[in-house]
Each structure stands twice: as C-alpha cells, then as structure tokens.
Amino acid sequence: MTDQADIRNLSIIAHIDHGKSTLSDRILELTRAVDPRLMREQYLDTMDIERERGITIKAQNVRVNWKGRIINLIDTPGHVDFGYEVSRSLAACEGVILLVDASQGIEAQTLANCYLAIEHDLEIVAALNKIDLPQSDPDRYAGEIEQILGIPAETILRISAKTGDGVAALLDAVIERIPSPAGNPDAPLQALIFDSYYDQYRGVVSAIRVVNGAIGTDDRLRFMQTGKTHLVEEIGIRTPVPVPVPHLGAGEVGYLIANIRDVGEARSGETVTLVSNPAPTPLDGYQDPKPMVFCGLYPIDGDEFESLRDSLEKLKLNDASFTFEPETSAALGFGFRCGFLGLLHMEIVTERLEREFDLALIATAPSVNYRVCTTKGTEIEIENPSEMPAASEIEWIEEPMLKTSIITPSSYIGTIMELAQTRRGVLGKMEYLSPERVEINYRIPLAEIVVDFFDALKSRTKGYASLDYEADGYQTADLVRLDILINQEPVDAFSSIIHRDKAYDHGKRMVAKLRELIPRQLFDVPIQAAIGGRIISRETVKARRKDVLAKCYGGDITRKRKLLEKQKEGKKRMKSIGRVEIPQEAFISALKLGDS
C-alpha cells in the first residue's frame, strides 16, 4: 500500500472555458499517464455531449505520479447547475487548484466554488491561466484575487495550460502546499462513495475515497446506509485507464466493483465498511440538493414508460442531483415529474436520456416550486400547474427567490440593471472589484431566471458577464394559472403559473404559435388562453371546407345560401362531437416556445 505522506488529493475549480480540461490534459501528458499516441483534447471528458458543448458535466478522477508522489486529480464542472458535482468532489479532497483566466479575471461561479472550498477548510493553490494570450493581464487579475479572497498576489502562479508553460511548477506547488490525507490506516474501514455509474456487464462501478482503514479484494463489505452486504469483486485505480490493485489504503482514491445490480444500493454519499470489523458510525454523506426547476418528461411512445423509469434510475446513480416521481397527463399519458438544479441541468439530463438510452421524449415547459395558502388556512407546495387550486380558494401565493451575483465589466452596468428590473429584480448592493469590473447583487424570482435570463445576460454583455445564484427564501406575488384551451378543452401540458402582468403577452404568443402548429380539421378549432374563467386571448384554426357552390353557375342567391347553411349545420354538429388530435411535433414546438 502507498505511504499516506506521498498522497495528494485535489480538485480543479474554474469557470467554464477558463482552461480546466486543458490543464488536466497537460498534467496527463507531463506525468506520462497517457500514451502520447492516444492523447486527445478534453481527455477526461468521456461523454460525446461534453466534447460537443466544450463543458465538463461529470467530475472525473485520475491518479498520476509526479516526482515520487501520487496525485489524485478530480476534474470538476464549472457551471453553476453542476455545483453539486463540485461539492461532492471537494469532500474527497484536501486541496484545490483555483484556475482563473488571466484575460478575464475571476468569475461569479468560480467565486462561489472557492467559498465552498474555504468552508471545507481546503488548501487553495491559485493559478492564472492563458498567459500566452496577447490580451492577458496576470498582474491586474492577481491583485483582484488578492483583494477578493486574500490570497497573496506573489503566491499566485502564472501558467499556460495550452502550451504547458508553468504546469510543472504548479504540480510542485501542489506537492509542497497541499497536505497529505489524515486518515488512520489501523482504524476500521470507512470509505466514501463520491460517484457511481452503471455498467451493464459488471453492475455498479463506484468511485471511492478511503478515509480510514484499508480495503482489499475478496473483503465482504457492508453498505452502512442501506445495510446490504456485498463481496468485493475488484478494486482499482484510474490512471486514467482502470487498473486493478490488491489493496487501497487510507487516503487513497480508486474504484470499487462488487457485482451490485440494484442501482439503489450504492448511491453517492454512502459509507462502506467491513462486515468483519465494522466502523461504529458512517461518514458524513452529502445533503440532498434541492431541485430548483421542474418539468414533465414523457415518452413519445407510451410503451417506453418502463424503459424511461429504468433509464432514470440508472442515470440518477451517475447524477444524484435530480429527482423524479411518476405523474399522469391527460394529453401526454404516463410520464415523470423531474426536478433539476437549473435549466442547463434539465437540458443535459434530457439529452443524456435520449442519447445514452435511445429514448424519444417530450419535456414540458420548465416550472418552479410555489407555496399556496388556501382560504382554509392550509399550506401546500405546488410543482405542477395542474395542482393549483381555483382562484377563489387561494389566500396568497409565494414564489421562490434567488440571491444572484453578477460580475461584469463596468461598461455593461446599465443594460444589466435594465434586464434585472424587467425580470422583477430588486437591487441589493453594487461593489467595484477593480476600476473596470463590478459585482452586482440582485434578488430575483427563480421563475424569471429559469427561462432565458442567462442567455439574455450573455448576449447583452457580449459574453463577459458571469452569473451565480443561491436560494433566498420565498416571497408573495400576484401569480395566476394560465390555461390553454383547445376546442374548449384545457390541455394540461400547456398550463403554466405566471405573474399576472406577463400573463396576457405569454397567452397571446402561445395561442398564435398553436394556431400555426395544429393542422386544420373539418370544423373550426378555437384556441384560447384563459385565467380562471376569463378568456384573455383567442385564435381560430379555420375548418377545411368543400366548395359547395362549385356547381352553382348563377341562379337565385337563395339557392347558394341554402347550400352554405346546410354546410354550416354539418360543421356545427361535427364540432360538438369532434376531437382535436394534437400532433407530437406541435407539443414539442409549443413547449419550446414556452421557454422563450
């Protein structure tokens, strides 16, 4: 087993596109962990979706050797929606590399993750990346980091992950500054599962950090939260190729395979111990993250409902931060109500279900969790607009609020304030980090953020502003349920809870879009937007009509009128018994409109 004093466990925290994955690539090259012939960009980003979007979604761990020491490196995501991945990775580390782009400076999400590292009492090794760019200004941004985080500017390293300049010095600093793990090798085994995924041939494969004791092949393990016991089939390390080893000691990071087929038995945060010499208490696991955004996921083919359930369970093993429970829709059939940490998280999970499990899905418009106090004095939580009681039964409604932090160049202050105020934001404080950069704090309803706030912020600031947010309680608001009726029948998939001031515009856009999407029937189809019993907008899909006057060449007008009246009566009768079949494409297109 490896000497504990030679081990260093660390994560890299950085904003999207600040060079985190590129630095991981250079470290793999410099430590010769990967054959140069097999090397590729974003080596640790294993999913196609990560490589296409250029973002890290899953934390990946790799073990490398540097000057006789072992470094367990965990490459973490940078987007605020994947903050749970970061918090789980930090729990398995003693230190972090704080990576900041030397041409852009520290961003809001990096700051949030850095404060998380400080809360975990981790050692921070700061580095300014991209010093090879002509627009980089490392001295200025080193001073900014010192002002915000108190890290002395002279200790901040200057590197270029692209060229490899300064990466060796960074690894030396990691060995020198980050402490070795402090576990007791002679104590009963306590190992923390910080990630898992499902392999269809080998079952659940778990990433583990051994905190105390040691684990070996053929040990019988007890999973302390579920109480289940399993025999170790294989333990190993990722270099980044999985390499089986006979033992893992205190402080080491590796993987565990125990032929677990039930995905519920090896969730993230689980503590593993030996059956023969069990630990008295489990390790502190992870707090379950609270979903911020909800949507319904329905299979286009109703027969795929069970496949969707199995796929969600397997994906939850790999991404523990989303929730799901069954629900039924009159329009879409059987599906699941899913909760996510943010809009990007929702997009990624939906796309992974479609790609990795070959499912065709419809996702309803995103919504948030509301609190409703009824006239009887009971308080209920509402995730789905269809659960909202009638307006006459509601005393008040509260919506979730966010405390947002926006870091931006000072030239964009005006356009950001205008955007925040149109989204019902209330200014908190404004603080200059330097003469050119400012941090603005707003309190904004979550419902206004989840739709397109991030995109609007990026487009107004040419991509220079960054956003971070955290939950900040609830606040009463004038909210209404907006229903869409098609041929006088409400379609629950299109219902939404919206602020009264924005209901008319949203309803008008929805009915106009549906008029284009719903095919013409043999009778007129009214499409209406309604709040309670009041119609606020209407469009009509005109009926297909046979030209009943085609054979009339002149003659008395009463003859034409008689034919038209006869046709009108038939259409009226048809409308009273006819049902409007809404094509799946109309649902998909209209629900995308709901996001805009």
Side-chain angles (χ1 to χ4, degrees):
M1 278 186 285
T2 312
D3 185 355
Q4 259 177 265
D6 293 335
I7 300 172
R8 301 291 182 274
N9 297 321
L10 69 135
S11 289
I12 305 176
I13 56 176
H15 193 67
I16 292 174
D17 207 31
H18 278 210
K20 189 166 14 72
S21 297
T22 311
L23 176 60
S24 301
D25 291 347
R26 292 299 81 74
I27 290 172
L28 293 176
E29 281 180 358
L30 201 60
T31 56
R32 295 186 171 82
V34 179
D35 188 319
R37 293 171 300 171
L38 302 175
M39 193 63 200
R40 61 172 199 263
E41 284 188 12
Q42 290 175 257
Y43 192 90
L44 293 179
D45 290 344
T46 50
M47 290 189 280
D48 289 342
I49 190 171
E50 290 180 308
R51 311 183 71 75
E52 286 167 22
R53 289 178 178 240
I55 60 173
T56 301
I57 293 165
K58 282 298 300 168
Q60 299 287 350
N61 67 296
V62 61
R63 175 166 168 162
V64 297
N65 292 292
W66 180 251
K67 296 185 177 178
R69 307 291 170 88
I70 286 168
I71 298 175
N72 289 306
L73 171 71
I74 303 175
D75 181 18
T76 60
H79 195 280
V80 64
D81 280 13
F82 303 105
Y84 185 62
E85 285 287 319
V86 180
S87 68
R88 288 189 356 222
S89 305
L90 295 182
C93 297
E94 278 74 42
V96 297
I97 294 173
L98 169 65
L99 196 65
V100 176
D101 188 330
S103 63
Q104 290 185 46
I106 198 159
E107 305 284 17
Q109 292 167 18
T110 321
L111 209 52
N113 288 337
C114 200
Y115 288 142
L116 205 59
I118 292 168
E119 281 173 27
H120 281 76
D121 204 22
L122 304 184
E123 186 64 39
I124 297 172
V125 179
L128 285 159
N129 188 23
K130 305 191 183 181
I131 57 167
D132 55 309
L133 294 179
Q135 68 268 36
S136 72
D137 192 349
D139 293 337
R140 175 182 150 200
Y141 291 122
E144 196 177 279
I145 292 170
E146 182 174 20
Q147 183 191 336
I148 299 167
L149 294 170
I151 299 169
E154 62 274 10
T155 66
I156 299 171
L157 294 102
R158 273 77 159 164
I159 69 165
S160 169
K162 189 175 182 181
T163 64
D165 186 15
V167 177
L170 176 63
L171 288 174
D172 289 340
V174 160
I175 299 234
E176 185 185 321
R177 297 187 207 169
I178 293 178
S180 55
N184 182 355
D186 302 317
L189 171 68
Q190 284 178 306
L192 179 73
I193 294 178
F194 64 90
D195 198 16
S196 297
Y197 70 91
Y198 190 82
D199 183 300
Q200 63 180 15
Y201 301 109
R202 310 200 69 182
V204 177
V205 181
S206 300
I208 60 166
R209 156 76 198 266
V210 182
V211 177
N212 294 310
I215 183 173
T217 47
D218 298 329
D219 280 344
R220 182 162 283 282
L221 302 178
R222 178 180 299 282
F223 288 70
M224 295 184 80
Q225 287 178 12
T226 60
K228 303 286 185 182
T229 60
H230 293 280
L231 187 70
V232 175
E233 191 176 283
E234 180 180 305
I235 54 170
I237 55 173
R238 288 196 172 92
T239 64
V241 179
V243 177
V245 294
H247 295 93
L248 283 176
E252 292 192 85
V253 174
Y255 68 86
L256 163 70
I257 301 172
N259 197 23
I260 300 168
R261 295 292 167 182
D262 181 352
V263 295
E265 290 180 19
R267 298 221 182 274
S268 298
E270 174 70 275
T271 301
V272 179
T273 190
L274 295 175
V275 170
S276 57
N277 183 20
T281 55
L283 297 162
D284 291 335
Y286 307 114
Q287 282 187 333
D288 282 338
K290 204 164 173 59
M292 308 277 271
V293 179
F294 296 86
C295 86
L297 286 181
Y298 295 86
I300 286 178
D301 180 356
D303 293 341
E304 289 187 337
F305 176 74
E306 288 301 327
S307 304
L308 176 57
R309 185 199 296 274
D310 294 344
S311 305
L312 283 166
E313 284 179 354
K314 286 173 184 171
L315 193 59
K316 186 163 174 63
L317 186 70
N318 191 233
D319 178 358
S321 55
F322 78 92
T323 61
F324 64 93
E325 56 184 38
E327 75 167 3
T328 311
S329 160
L332 300 173
F334 293 102
F336 291 91
R337 189 83 187 159
C338 302
F340 307 94
L341 298 186
L343 207 61
L344 178 67
H345 187 215
M346 174 183 137
E347 273 181 49
I348 295 294
V349 168
T350 308
E351 199 164 334
R352 286 184 70 187
L353 285 167
E354 289 177 338
R355 287 190 185 200
E356 295 173 26
F357 301 99
D358 200 25
L359 296 166
L361 301 173
I362 292 176
T364 63
S367 64
V368 301
N369 212 350
Y370 296 97
R371 282 186 190 159
V372 175
C373 181
T374 64
T375 49
K376 294 176 182 174
T378 54
E379 198 172 293
I380 52 174
E381 291 215 349
I382 287 174
E383 295 168 8
N384 191 337
S386 62
E387 298 168 0
M388 191 160 164
S392 59
E393 296 172 22
I394 296 172
E395 192 71 44
W396 43 255
I397 306 174
E398 288 184 335
E399 62 180 339
M401 304 296 289
L402 292 182
K403 190 161 67 181
T404 64
S405 165
I406 300 166
I407 294 180
T408 176
S410 49
S411 54
Y412 298 115
I413 290 173
T415 185
I416 287 173
M417 291 179 103
E418 184 198 353
L419 172 65
Q421 281 159 13
T422 58
R423 301 304 177 90
R424 300 188 283 130
V426 176
L427 180 64
K429 66 170 183 173
M430 191 158 59
E431 186 179 346
Y432 279 85
L433 307 176
S434 68
E436 298 84 18
R437 288 182 13 113
V438 66
E439 180 181 7
I440 310 172
N441 295 115
Y442 267 97
R443 192 165 189 256
I444 303 180
L446 172 58
E448 299 287 350
I449 294 271
V450 298
V451 182
D452 63 347
F453 185 86
F454 192 64
D455 294 340
L457 180 69
K458 286 291 183 189
S459 63
R460 283 174 181 239
T461 59
K462 301 189 173 78
Y464 284 111
S466 67
L467 171 75
D468 184 63
Y469 55 76
E470 59 181 72
D472 190 30
Y474 281 75
Q475 181 175 296
T476 43
D478 186 12
L479 301 168
V480 292
R481 187 175 89 183
L482 180 72
D483 290 315
I484 302 295
L485 286 70
I486 296 177
N487 201 23
Q488 274 86 45
E489 290 291 324
V491 180
D492 57 355
F494 295 139
S495 294
S496 57
I497 297 172
I498 196 163
H499 195 269
R500 194 181 295 275
D501 293 347
K502 299 191 172 188
Y504 174 73
D505 287 337
H506 181 79
K508 193 174 177 183
R509 287 206 328 273
M510 281 292 279
V511 295
K513 185 71 174 174
L514 285 167
R515 185 171 68 87
E516 296 166 19
L517 294 169
I518 292 175
R520 293 172 73 184
Q521 313 287 320
L522 292 172
F523 50 90
D524 282 357
V525 178
I527 304 166
Q528 299 161 310
I531 297 172
R534 188 166 65 90
I535 306 297
I536 59 168
S537 186
R538 171 184 169 131
E539 294 279 353
T540 305
V541 179
K542 287 294 179 189
R544 282 206 196 105
R545 294 182 61 171
K546 180 182 175 185
D547 189 358
V548 291
L549 304 182
K551 295 176 183 174
C552 293
Y553 303 103
D556 190 359
I557 187 69
T558 53
R559 185 166 170 233
K560 293 182 182 177
R561 196 172 288 140
K562 187 178 175 185
L563 288 168
L564 289 169
E565 286 295 329
K566 190 176 177 185
Q567 184 188 42
K568 190 176 172 184
E569 281 299 315
K571 297 280 183 200
K572 196 173 175 183
R573 197 161 55 249
M574 196 181 287
K575 182 179 178 179
S576 66
I577 60 167
R579 285 185 70 247
V580 181
E581 291 295 329
I582 306 170
Q584 300 287 11
E585 300 77 41
F587 275 111
I588 294 164
S589 303
L591 292 170
K592 277 183 182 166
L593 163 98
D595 299 352
S596 65

